[in-house]
Amino acid sequence: MKSQLSNHLTKKGGQGYYLTLHRMLSCGGGSGHCSKDMAVELGDEPHVLVVDDSLIDRKLVERLLKNSSCKVTTAENALRAVEYLRLGNDTLEGTVSEVNMIITDYCMPGMTGYELLKKIKESSVLKEVPVVIMSSENIPTRISQCLEEGAKMFMLKPLKRSDVKQLKWHLMKCRN
């Protein structure tokens, strides 16, 4: 299925314009709603898993999300995230506490964020969980590849408060 992509120009501190591609987002693969398993219960803090090999970037995202009333779990690489999510173990898969969104760096040693995305989308339990890929590199083919594979969003690092507002909007959209 072809992803719907839209081009957005964003101004970066007087340094010119950068092209950022992102999918027109909706939870549940374009259906406009989320599965019951993925919905955040009203009154609960959304639970976000943040995966990044950079301690500084991981802490920054964690702080931004916690300041926006999110419960945050962090993993220092994709392999740890696989362990946490219990991917690949059919008997244990899905027994981890509910995760409402996964934010992962693209470029990490051992397993990339793209490979983690593919594993998540292959999981019968986790495939509906929105995955956001972040990277410090603005490479259109990489962005398109991630969106085609099922990422809900691709964001440039470092994340800012306005990015978190966008993430929260998508989490809230899943509540309805």
Side-chain angles (χ1 to χ4, degrees), residues 86-104:
R86 297 193 169 113
L87 286 167
N89 187 338
D90 294 335
T91 59
L92 295 176
E93 190 172 314
T95 60
V96 69
S97 65
E98 178 107 6
V99 174
N100 305 106
M101 180 178 279
I102 300 165
I103 302 174
T104 181

Side-chain angles (χ1 to χ4, degrees), residues 104-170:
T104 181
D105 184 23
Y106 180 89
C107 189
M108 295 181 287
M111 176 188 282
T112 67
Y114 177 71
E115 292 166 329
L116 176 61
L117 168 67
K118 287 173 59 173
K119 277 193 157 303
I120 292 165
K121 295 307 173 185
E122 290 168 359
S123 164
S124 60
V125 175
L126 297 171
K127 68 181 176 187
E128 296 298 321
V129 174
V131 178
V132 175
I133 305 286
M134 57 184 178
S135 177
S136 56
E137 300 174 320
N138 190 0
I139 302 172
T141 54
R142 179 182 290 173
I143 295 168
S144 295
Q145 181 184 36
C146 290
L147 296 174
E148 294 277 332
E149 194 62 45
K152 293 294 179 192
M153 193 178 225
F154 191 99
M155 304 184 102
L156 291 177
K157 290 165 60 173
L159 263 57
K160 301 173 290 306
R161 195 173 301 153
S162 60
D163 295 324
V164 174
K165 286 180 183 178
Q166 219 178 354
L167 294 170
K168 287 281 289 193
W169 181 83
H170 293 293

Side-chain angles (χ1 to χ4, degrees), residues 8-21:
H8 292 274
L9 293 175
T10 55
K11 189 162 184 162
K12 297 280 186 178
Q15 297 174 358
Y17 288 92
Y18 294 87
L19 179 65
T20 304
L21 299 171

